[in-house]
Amino acid sequence: DWMIFVAADHLNSCSVHGGDVRTLAKLNLLCGEKAISVAAFVPGSLYLRLAIKYLRKIQNHWVSEYDLSLRVFRALIGIELCLGNYLSGDELAREVMEHARTLQDRLPTILSLASAKGRQDKHEEAFELCRKALFELKAIPRRFQMLNMLRDNYIIKRKLRMYSDNEIFLLPMLTDERKISIVQFLSECQLRAYYCGDMVAYMSCVFRSLRISFEDGLSASSAYSFAAYGLFLDLSCEDHEGALRMARLSRQILSRVDDTVDSKTAKALALTTTTYAIEAWSRPRDEVLLNGHLAHQVRCNW
């Protein structure tokens, strides 16, 4: 890998006239992505900015190099928003939203913006972004929210009675890209609804995410939803044993989830919920402290 960085640094330092700017853009994108993978966000940002600089030398790059442009801009948007450069991130996001050809191409940018607004304590704006995306995906109903929430809760209760813990653990992993996008938005919407104090929307997202987990497959977001459902059982139903079961299932699901950038938020939220909200008074002190440290470590690495 170090040779790729050496090559990029050398070529970037040269005065290129009429060179292969597409190759230079791809090389800097590769360096930026490798930097992101080890949480070196500032160097990653520099390489990705150079990639965009080379792309802009290509006439109508959003037409001739659409996939490459989308990949570079998405990566840089994510870094800029993580670093707190919200104005720059918003500007780049607007360009992506203007040129993206499909809803699926716009979704990662919308999710990044929603997460960034949440970090700025703009939870209402983040919630609305997620809800509109879920409407476009036809993932949640526009009307009769309470009725649909009760129906989803009934289905989840029936599934939990029908399936043993081992059967739930052995459910297939979610592979459908559209459904993966839906559960990611449900997870983000769920978090923002909690901060907004909208418990109906919060539980609606939890129940809908769990339905997808049972019907289509498991994901990192499933682990967070099982943990949130455990919290619901503990606080609203006074079912502490049921809550501990959900915490165990959440941890088991996390053991099957790949350690990717997209999964780190859900992992941190799932571990935090199970450790501090469910297991704090039921597990040995040293175990709780260890799990709390792990949750914090996952969050910091993200």
Side-chain angles (χ1 to χ4, degrees):
D1 286 353
W2 65 269
M3 293 180 68
I4 296 172
F5 287 94
V6 170
D9 290 342
H10 173 69
L11 292 172
N12 289 334
S13 68
C14 297
S15 178
V16 179
H17 297 283
D20 186 355
V21 290
R22 181 180 185 276
T23 298
L24 288 170
K26 290 178 68 176
L27 181 61
N28 280 280
L29 168 62
L30 183 60
C31 291
E33 289 177 337
K34 287 186 178 294
I36 294 170
S37 69
V38 294
F41 291 154
V42 173
S45 175
L46 295 175
Y47 283 114
L48 290 169
R49 286 185 175 280
L50 285 168
I52 288 181
K53 173 186 172 183
Y54 291 124
L55 275 176
R56 295 203 188 280
K57 294 183 179 181
I58 302 173
Q59 188 174 9
N60 295 325
H61 67 89
W62 277 109
V63 176
S64 60
E65 299 294 341
Y66 176 76
D67 291 337
L68 178 60
S69 299
L70 193 63
R71 189 171 157 190
V72 171
F73 273 77
R74 277 180 182 171
L76 184 56
I77 288 167
I79 287 184
E80 291 295 281
L81 294 177
C82 279
L83 291 173
N85 300 328
Y86 299 119
L87 290 177
S88 173
D90 286 345
E91 184 179 340
L92 292 166
R94 282 197 297 272
E95 186 168 348
V96 171
M97 300 293 278
E98 180 183 347
H99 292 97
R101 295 173 181 172
T102 66
L103 172 62
Q104 197 65 38
D105 287 345
R106 296 199 309 271
L107 290 177
T109 301
I110 298 171
L111 190 61
S112 295
L113 285 172
S115 180
K117 287 186 181 297
R119 290 195 294 274
Q120 298 173 76
D121 291 330
K122 298 178 180 179
H123 300 294
E124 293 84 0
E125 292 182 34
F127 176 73
E128 283 302 317
L129 276 174
C130 292
R131 193 171 67 156
K132 287 177 181 177
L134 288 167
F135 285 151
E136 288 192 73
L137 285 163
K138 296 181 171 56
I140 59 173
R142 293 178 180 271
R143 301 172 59 196
F144 307 118
Q145 185 179 28
M146 181 65 76
L147 181 62
N148 283 279
M149 183 188 73
L150 294 174
R151 184 183 63 181
D152 287 347
N153 187 28
Y154 171 77
I155 292 171
I156 297 306
K157 285 182 177 179
R158 184 161 55 86
K159 296 283 188 184
L160 289 170
R161 288 195 299 267
M162 290 171 53
Y163 289 80
S164 67
D165 288 5
N166 192 53
E167 287 173 326
I168 294 173
F169 175 70
L170 293 176
L171 287 170
M173 298 302 292
L174 188 60
T175 56
D176 184 288
E177 284 192 12
R178 178 177 172 275
K179 289 296 176 66
I180 290 173
S181 296
I182 288 173
V183 296
Q184 288 175 339
F185 272 99
L186 284 170
S187 181
E188 186 68 29
C189 192
Q190 171 184 330
L191 180 63
R192 300 309 155 199
Y194 176 83
Y195 282 114
C196 292
D198 189 341
M199 289 299 106
V200 173
Y202 175 78
M203 292 313 305
S204 294
C205 292
V206 172
F207 296 153
R208 185 53 56 98
S209 180
L210 287 175
R211 272 194 67 178
I212 293 173
S213 299
F214 279 109
E215 295 170 1
D216 299 286
L218 302 173
S219 65
S221 296
S222 304
Y224 177 37
S225 295
F226 271 102
Y229 189 70
L231 183 60
F232 164 73
L233 291 177
D234 197 20
L235 297 180
S236 300
C237 306
E238 298 184 356
D239 180 7
H240 192 59
E241 288 303 316
L244 289 174
R245 181 192 178 196
M246 296 303 104
R248 287 194 302 271
L249 285 169
S250 177
R251 292 189 183 283
Q252 289 173 350
I253 292 167
L254 285 180
S255 70
R256 294 184 59 192
V257 174
D258 293 333
D259 192 19
T260 63
V261 173
D262 291 337
S263 70
K264 287 187 182 295
T265 302
K267 281 186 175 184
L269 289 168
L271 287 169
T272 301
T273 304
T274 56
T275 300
Y276 295 111
I278 299 175
E279 296 177 337
W281 306 108
S282 304
R283 308 299 297 172
R285 175 179 177 273
D286 290 343
E287 183 180 331
V288 172
L289 290 174
L290 178 62
N291 290 331
H293 174 71
L294 179 60
H296 179 70
Q297 189 177 44
V298 171
R299 181 64 179 172
C300 285
N301 288 341
W302 174 76

